[in-house]
Protein backbone atom coordinates (compact mmCIF):
# COMPACT_ATOMS: atom_id res chain seq x y z
CA UNK A 1 0.00 0.00 0.00
CA UNK A 2 2.82 2.39 0.83
CA UNK A 3 4.43 1.85 -2.59
CA UNK A 4 1.15 2.48 -4.39
CA UNK A 5 0.51 5.69 -2.46
CA UNK A 6 4.02 7.01 -3.16
CA UNK A 7 3.68 6.24 -6.86
CA UNK A 8 0.34 8.01 -7.01
CA UNK A 9 1.73 11.09 -5.25
CA UNK A 10 4.68 11.28 -7.65
CA UNK A 11 2.49 10.69 -10.70
CA UNK A 12 0.01 13.41 -9.70
CA UNK A 13 2.64 16.00 -8.75
CA UNK A 14 1.77 19.46 -10.08
CA UNK A 15 5.48 20.16 -10.48
CA UNK A 16 5.51 17.73 -13.40
CA UNK A 17 3.11 19.94 -15.39
CA UNK A 18 4.73 23.00 -16.91
CA UNK A 19 2.57 25.89 -18.09
CA UNK A 20 4.22 28.41 -20.40
CA UNK A 21 2.54 31.65 -21.46
CA UNK A 22 3.25 33.17 -24.85
CA UNK A 23 1.31 36.21 -26.02
CA UNK A 24 0.14 36.31 -29.61
CA UNK A 25 -2.17 34.16 -31.66
CA UNK A 26 -5.49 32.78 -30.44
CA UNK A 27 -6.41 30.54 -27.54
CA UNK A 28 -6.93 27.73 -30.06
CA UNK A 29 -3.21 27.93 -30.86
CA UNK A 30 -2.41 26.61 -27.39
CA UNK A 31 -1.11 23.07 -27.43
CA UNK A 32 0.02 20.24 -25.20
CA UNK A 33 3.59 18.96 -25.40
CA UNK A 34 3.94 15.35 -24.32
CA UNK A 35 7.30 16.01 -22.79
CA UNK A 36 9.11 19.21 -21.83
CA UNK A 37 9.31 22.61 -23.48
CA UNK A 38 10.94 25.74 -22.13
CA UNK A 39 11.94 29.13 -23.48
CA UNK A 40 15.41 29.50 -24.98
CA UNK A 41 17.85 30.67 -22.36
CA UNK A 42 20.41 33.44 -22.65
CA UNK A 43 23.05 32.53 -25.22
CA UNK A 44 26.46 33.80 -26.31
CA UNK A 45 28.12 34.20 -29.68
CA UNK A 46 28.38 30.91 -31.52
CA UNK A 47 24.98 29.66 -30.38
CA UNK A 48 23.43 30.02 -33.84
CA UNK A 49 26.08 27.66 -35.23
CA UNK A 50 24.87 24.83 -33.00
CA UNK A 51 22.51 22.18 -34.38
CA UNK A 52 18.89 22.80 -33.35
CA UNK A 53 17.45 19.32 -33.88
CA UNK A 54 18.41 15.77 -32.91
CA UNK A 55 16.76 12.38 -33.31
CA UNK A 56 17.34 9.91 -30.45
CA UNK A 57 19.03 12.67 -28.50
CA UNK A 58 21.15 12.01 -25.41
CA UNK A 59 20.79 14.68 -22.74
CA UNK A 60 23.40 15.64 -20.15
CA UNK A 61 22.09 17.63 -17.16
CA UNK A 62 24.64 19.56 -15.13
CA UNK A 63 24.87 21.84 -12.15
CA UNK A 64 28.30 23.02 -13.24
CA UNK A 65 29.59 26.37 -14.43
CA UNK A 66 31.17 26.04 -17.89
CA UNK A 67 32.90 29.38 -18.31
CA UNK A 68 36.10 31.13 -17.35
CA UNK A 69 35.57 32.97 -14.10
CA UNK A 70 36.52 36.60 -13.97
CA UNK A 71 39.34 37.40 -11.56
CA UNK A 72 38.32 38.95 -8.30
CA UNK A 73 39.06 42.64 -7.96
CA UNK A 74 40.97 42.15 -4.75
CA UNK A 75 42.83 39.02 -5.84
CA UNK A 76 46.59 39.09 -5.31
CA UNK A 77 49.10 36.77 -6.91
CA UNK A 78 52.80 36.94 -5.92
CA UNK A 79 55.22 35.53 -8.48
CA UNK A 80 58.98 35.72 -9.04
CA UNK A 81 58.94 34.95 -12.76
CA UNK A 82 56.48 35.99 -15.51
CA UNK A 83 56.41 32.37 -16.67
CA UNK A 84 54.72 31.45 -13.40
CA UNK A 85 51.78 33.72 -14.25
CA UNK A 86 51.46 32.05 -17.64
CA UNK A 87 51.41 28.71 -15.89
CA UNK A 88 48.42 29.84 -13.81
CA UNK A 89 46.59 31.02 -16.95
CA UNK A 90 47.33 27.77 -18.79
CA UNK A 91 46.07 25.75 -15.82
CA UNK A 92 42.80 27.70 -15.80
CA UNK A 93 42.29 27.07 -19.53
CA UNK A 94 43.12 23.40 -19.08
CA UNK A 95 40.47 23.03 -16.39
CA UNK A 96 37.70 24.44 -18.58
CA UNK A 97 38.79 22.43 -21.62
CA UNK A 98 38.92 19.22 -19.57
CA UNK A 99 35.33 19.85 -18.49
CA UNK A 100 34.20 20.44 -22.08
CA UNK A 101 36.09 17.39 -23.36
CA UNK A 102 34.37 15.23 -20.73
CA UNK A 103 30.91 16.44 -21.81
CA UNK A 104 31.58 15.60 -25.45
CA UNK A 105 33.36 12.32 -24.71
CA UNK A 106 30.37 10.91 -22.82
CA UNK A 107 28.32 11.15 -26.04
CA UNK A 108 25.87 13.93 -25.15
CA UNK A 109 23.96 15.66 -27.94
CA UNK A 110 22.30 18.22 -25.63
CA UNK A 111 24.07 19.77 -22.63
CA UNK A 112 21.93 21.61 -20.08
CA UNK A 113 23.21 23.37 -16.99
CA UNK A 114 21.59 25.26 -14.14
CA UNK A 115 24.62 27.53 -14.14
CA UNK A 116 26.18 29.65 -16.86
CA UNK A 117 27.67 28.25 -20.06
CA UNK A 118 30.06 30.90 -21.38
CA UNK A 119 30.99 31.98 -24.89
CA UNK A 120 34.05 29.70 -24.98
CA UNK A 121 31.97 26.62 -24.13
CA UNK A 122 29.21 27.68 -26.54
CA UNK A 123 31.65 27.91 -29.46
CA UNK A 124 33.38 24.68 -28.37
CA UNK A 125 30.09 22.75 -28.44
CA UNK A 126 29.08 24.36 -31.75
CA UNK A 127 32.32 23.17 -33.39
CA UNK A 128 31.55 19.62 -32.27
CA UNK A 129 27.85 19.54 -33.21
CA UNK A 130 26.48 19.70 -29.65
CA UNK A 131 23.59 21.87 -28.43
CA UNK A 132 23.93 23.62 -25.08
CA UNK A 133 21.78 25.81 -22.84
CA UNK A 134 22.87 27.45 -19.60
CA UNK A 135 20.98 29.03 -16.71
CA UNK A 136 18.10 26.57 -17.10
CA UNK A 137 15.40 27.20 -14.50
CA UNK A 138 15.31 24.59 -11.74
CA UNK A 139 11.68 23.59 -12.42
CA UNK A 140 12.39 23.04 -16.11
CA UNK A 141 15.51 21.03 -15.31
CA UNK A 142 13.54 18.78 -12.97
CA UNK A 143 10.93 18.13 -15.64
CA UNK A 144 13.61 17.36 -18.24
CA UNK A 145 15.21 14.87 -15.86
CA UNK A 146 11.87 13.27 -15.01
CA UNK A 147 10.99 12.92 -18.70
CA UNK A 148 14.33 11.80 -20.14
CA UNK A 149 15.76 9.94 -17.17
CA UNK A 150 18.82 12.21 -16.96
CA UNK A 151 20.61 12.66 -13.64
CA UNK A 152 21.90 16.08 -12.66
CA UNK A 153 25.66 16.01 -12.18
CA UNK A 154 27.55 18.40 -9.90
CA UNK A 155 30.87 17.40 -11.45
CA UNK A 156 32.00 16.30 -14.90
CA UNK A 157 34.64 13.91 -13.60
CA UNK A 158 33.95 10.22 -14.21
CA UNK A 159 30.93 10.79 -16.43
CA UNK A 160 29.40 7.71 -18.05
CA UNK A 161 26.42 6.92 -20.27
CA UNK A 162 24.23 5.91 -17.31
CA UNK A 163 23.73 9.57 -16.29
CA UNK A 164 22.47 10.60 -19.72
CA UNK A 165 18.79 11.07 -20.50
CA UNK A 166 17.18 10.05 -23.76
CA UNK A 167 14.38 11.41 -25.90
CA UNK A 168 13.19 10.48 -29.39
CA UNK A 169 13.26 14.08 -30.61
CA UNK A 170 14.90 17.31 -29.52
CA UNK A 171 14.35 20.50 -31.45
CA UNK A 172 14.23 24.25 -31.09
CA UNK A 173 11.13 25.84 -32.62
CA UNK A 174 9.59 29.25 -32.88
CA UNK A 175 6.51 29.87 -30.74
CA UNK A 176 5.13 33.36 -31.16
CA UNK A 177 7.97 35.81 -30.69
CA UNK A 178 10.17 33.42 -28.72
CA UNK A 179 12.08 30.24 -29.43
CA UNK A 180 11.43 27.13 -27.34
CA UNK A 181 13.40 23.94 -26.72
CA UNK A 182 11.24 20.81 -27.09
CA UNK A 183 11.99 17.36 -25.65
CA UNK A 184 9.44 14.84 -26.98
CA UNK A 185 9.16 11.08 -27.29
CA UNK A 186 10.61 10.58 -23.81
CA UNK A 187 10.74 7.00 -22.56
CA UNK A 188 10.17 8.06 -18.93
CA UNK A 189 7.53 10.65 -19.84
CA UNK A 190 5.75 11.55 -16.61
CA UNK A 191 5.73 15.19 -17.49
CA UNK A 192 3.83 17.47 -19.83
CA UNK A 193 4.03 21.09 -20.87
CA UNK A 194 1.12 23.29 -21.89
CA UNK A 195 1.90 26.34 -24.00
CA UNK A 196 -0.90 28.88 -23.65
CA UNK A 197 -1.44 31.44 -26.41
CA UNK A 198 -3.70 34.46 -26.46
CA UNK A 199 -4.04 38.06 -27.50
CA UNK A 200 -3.14 39.60 -24.12
CA UNK A 201 -1.52 38.79 -20.81
CA UNK A 202 -4.75 39.18 -18.81
CA UNK A 203 -6.56 36.79 -21.15
CA UNK A 204 -3.77 34.21 -20.85
CA UNK A 205 -3.71 34.58 -17.05
CA UNK A 206 -7.45 33.88 -16.91
CA UNK A 207 -6.98 30.81 -19.13
CA UNK A 208 -4.17 29.68 -16.81
CA UNK A 209 -6.44 29.95 -13.76
CA UNK A 210 -9.21 28.00 -15.50
CA UNK A 211 -6.71 25.36 -16.58
CA UNK A 212 -5.36 25.10 -13.05
CA UNK A 213 -8.88 24.54 -11.69
CA UNK A 214 -9.46 21.79 -14.27
CA UNK A 215 -6.15 20.11 -13.42
CA UNK A 216 -6.85 20.24 -9.69
CA UNK A 217 -10.36 18.77 -10.04
CA UNK A 218 -9.00 15.97 -12.24
CA UNK A 219 -6.22 15.33 -9.74
CA UNK A 220 -8.71 15.22 -6.88
CA UNK A 221 -10.89 12.80 -8.87
CA UNK A 222 -8.00 10.41 -9.41
CA UNK A 223 -7.19 10.53 -5.72
CA UNK A 224 -10.70 10.09 -4.30
CA UNK A 225 -11.81 7.55 -6.94
CA UNK A 226 -15.52 8.32 -6.37
CA UNK A 227 -17.57 10.65 -8.57
CA UNK A 228 -21.10 11.93 -9.05
CA UNK A 229 -22.73 13.56 -12.05
CA UNK A 230 -22.17 17.30 -12.45
CA UNK A 231 -24.21 20.03 -14.09
CA UNK A 232 -26.49 20.37 -11.06
CA UNK A 233 -27.58 16.72 -11.16
CA UNK A 234 -26.53 15.76 -7.65
CA UNK A 235 -27.99 18.97 -6.17
CA UNK A 236 -31.39 18.29 -7.77
CA UNK A 237 -31.39 14.68 -6.56
CA UNK A 238 -30.50 15.74 -3.00
CA UNK A 239 -33.19 18.41 -3.14
CA UNK A 240 -35.78 15.81 -4.17
CA UNK A 241 -34.92 13.49 -1.28
CA UNK A 242 -34.84 16.33 1.25
CA UNK A 243 -38.28 17.59 0.15
CA UNK A 244 -39.66 14.07 0.57
CA UNK A 245 -38.00 13.76 3.99
CA UNK A 246 -39.32 17.16 5.10
CA UNK A 247 -42.90 15.95 4.72
CA UNK A 248 -42.23 13.27 7.34
CA UNK A 249 -41.12 15.82 9.94
CA UNK A 250 -43.47 17.75 12.18
CA UNK A 251 -42.94 21.25 13.53
CA UNK A 252 -40.66 24.04 12.39
CA UNK A 253 -37.88 21.64 11.41
CA UNK A 254 -39.94 20.79 8.34
CA UNK A 255 -39.52 24.38 7.13
CA UNK A 256 -35.75 24.26 7.76
CA UNK A 257 -35.28 21.07 5.75
CA UNK A 258 -37.51 22.43 2.99
CA UNK A 259 -35.49 25.66 2.83
CA UNK A 260 -32.27 23.65 2.62
CA UNK A 261 -33.74 21.63 -0.27
CA UNK A 262 -34.72 24.83 -2.07
CA UNK A 263 -31.25 26.33 -1.54
CA UNK A 264 -29.64 23.37 -3.32
CA UNK A 265 -31.48 24.35 -6.50
CA UNK A 266 -29.42 27.55 -6.62
CA UNK A 267 -26.55 25.60 -8.25
CA UNK A 268 -28.39 24.40 -11.38
CA UNK A 269 -30.22 27.76 -11.55
CA UNK A 270 -26.92 29.65 -11.62
CA UNK A 271 -25.47 27.24 -14.20
CA UNK A 272 -28.46 27.92 -16.45
CA UNK A 273 -28.05 31.68 -16.01
CA UNK A 274 -24.33 31.55 -16.76
CA UNK A 275 -25.01 29.59 -19.95
CA UNK A 276 -27.71 32.05 -21.06
CA UNK A 277 -30.61 29.60 -20.66
CA UNK A 278 -34.04 30.16 -19.09
CA UNK A 279 -33.46 28.99 -15.49
CA UNK A 280 -37.16 28.45 -14.75
CA UNK A 281 -37.59 26.20 -17.78
CA UNK A 282 -34.43 24.25 -17.00
CA UNK A 283 -35.37 23.69 -13.36
CA UNK A 284 -38.85 22.49 -14.33
CA UNK A 285 -37.33 19.95 -16.74
CA UNK A 286 -34.87 18.79 -14.07
CA UNK A 287 -37.64 18.39 -11.48
CA UNK A 288 -39.62 16.31 -13.97
CA UNK A 289 -36.71 13.97 -14.66
CA UNK A 290 -35.76 13.58 -10.98
CA UNK A 291 -39.40 12.92 -9.98
CA UNK A 292 -39.28 9.37 -11.38
CA UNK A 293 -39.46 6.69 -8.73
CA UNK A 294 -36.69 4.66 -10.36
CA UNK A 295 -33.09 5.83 -10.68
CA UNK A 296 -33.20 6.62 -14.41
CA UNK A 297 -33.42 10.37 -13.83
CA UNK A 298 -31.05 10.58 -10.87
CA UNK A 299 -28.07 11.79 -12.93
CA UNK A 300 -29.90 14.29 -15.13
CA UNK A 301 -28.28 17.74 -15.18
CA UNK A 302 -27.84 20.70 -17.50
CA UNK A 303 -26.22 19.98 -20.86
CA UNK A 304 -24.70 23.36 -21.76
CA UNK A 305 -23.60 22.26 -25.25
CA UNK A 306 -27.09 21.30 -26.44
CA UNK A 307 -29.26 23.52 -24.15
CA UNK A 308 -31.15 20.54 -22.74
CA UNK A 309 -31.19 18.41 -19.63
CA UNK A 310 -29.43 15.08 -20.10
CA UNK A 311 -27.81 12.17 -18.27
CA UNK A 312 -24.54 13.82 -17.30
CA UNK A 313 -23.11 10.64 -15.82
CA UNK A 314 -23.36 8.94 -19.20
CA UNK A 315 -21.95 12.09 -20.82
CA UNK A 316 -18.89 11.89 -18.49
CA UNK A 317 -19.64 15.19 -16.76
CA UNK A 318 -18.36 14.18 -13.34
CA UNK A 319 -17.40 15.80 -10.06
CA UNK A 320 -15.48 14.18 -7.19
CA UNK A 321 -17.60 13.12 -4.22
CA UNK A 322 -14.98 14.61 -1.88
CA UNK A 323 -15.32 18.07 -3.45
CA UNK A 324 -19.14 17.99 -3.28
CA UNK A 325 -19.13 16.82 0.30
CA UNK A 326 -16.70 19.55 1.36
CA UNK A 327 -18.67 22.21 -0.53
CA UNK A 328 -21.96 21.25 1.13
CA UNK A 329 -20.34 21.07 4.55
CA UNK A 330 -18.66 24.47 4.19
CA UNK A 331 -21.86 26.12 2.92
CA UNK A 332 -23.90 24.62 5.76
CA UNK A 333 -21.43 25.79 8.40
CA UNK A 334 -21.37 29.29 6.91
CA UNK A 335 -25.17 29.45 6.95
CA UNK A 336 -25.25 28.31 10.57
CA UNK A 337 -22.75 31.01 11.54
CA UNK A 338 -24.91 33.69 9.90
CA UNK A 339 -28.08 32.37 11.56
CA UNK A 340 -26.39 32.36 14.98
CA UNK A 341 -26.03 36.16 14.85
CA UNK A 342 -28.84 37.65 16.97
CA UNK A 343 -28.22 41.33 16.41
CA UNK A 344 -25.96 43.65 14.47
CA UNK A 345 -24.80 47.14 15.42
CA UNK A 346 -24.12 49.76 12.77
CA UNK A 347 -21.93 52.66 13.77
CA UNK A 348 -23.03 56.10 12.66
CA UNK A 349 -20.93 57.94 10.12
CA UNK A 350 -18.51 60.39 11.70
CA UNK A 351 -19.45 64.08 11.52
CA UNK A 352 -17.39 66.64 9.65
CA UNK A 353 -15.97 68.04 12.91
CA UNK A 354 -14.78 64.57 13.92
CA UNK A 355 -17.49 63.91 16.55
CA UNK A 356 -19.47 60.64 16.33
Amino acid sequence: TTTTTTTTENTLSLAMIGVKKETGGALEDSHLVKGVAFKKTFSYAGFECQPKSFDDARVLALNVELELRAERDNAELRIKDPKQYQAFVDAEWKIIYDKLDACVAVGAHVVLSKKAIGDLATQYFADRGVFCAGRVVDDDMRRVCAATGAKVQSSVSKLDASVLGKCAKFEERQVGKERYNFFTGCAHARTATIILRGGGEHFIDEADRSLHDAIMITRRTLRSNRVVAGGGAIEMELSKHLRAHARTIGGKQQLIVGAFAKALEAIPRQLALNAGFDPTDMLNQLRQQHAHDDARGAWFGIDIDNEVVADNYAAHVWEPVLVKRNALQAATEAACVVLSIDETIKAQRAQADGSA
Side-chain angles (χ1 to χ4, degrees), residues 196-208:
L196 291 177
R197 305 294 308 281
E201 292 183 3
H202 295 294
F203 183 79
I204 296 178
D205 290 340
E206 185 61 34
D208 181 28

Side-chain angles (χ1 to χ4, degrees), residues 246-307:
R247 289 192 289 270
T248 65
I249 301 174
K252 295 181 180 179
Q253 290 184 351
Q254 181 183 119
L255 300 176
I256 297 173
V257 177
F260 194 102
K262 183 180 180 180
L264 288 172
E265 294 183 350
I267 299 298
R269 179 184 295 275
Q270 192 62 45
L271 287 174
L273 282 171
N274 292 345
F277 306 152
D278 183 357
T280 303
D281 183 44
M282 284 293 169
L283 283 176
N284 288 337
Q285 293 184 46
L286 286 173
R287 292 192 189 103
Q288 179 188 10
Q289 293 294 337
H290 285 267
H292 296 298
D293 294 333
D294 52 14
R296 59 180 175 173
W299 300 127
F300 268 69
I302 297 176
D303 183 352
I304 295 177
D305 293 331
N306 301 310
E307 197 174 346

Side-chain angles (χ1 to χ4, degrees), residues 343-356:
E343 186 178 358
T344 58
I345 300 175
K346 183 178 180 181
Q348 295 181 358
R349 183 175 298 180
Q351 302 294 329
D353 58 357
S355 59

Side-chain angles (χ1 to χ4, degrees), residues 21-26 29 31 39 173-180 182 195-198:
K21 304 174 185 178
E22 193 60 43
T23 55
D29 296 328
H31 59 279
K39 191 179 298 185
R173 298 204 310 261
Q174 190 78 22
V175 178
K177 298 180 181 179
E178 301 289 343
R179 295 191 66 82
Y180 278 72
F182 290 82
I195 300 180
L196 291 177
R197 305 294 308 281

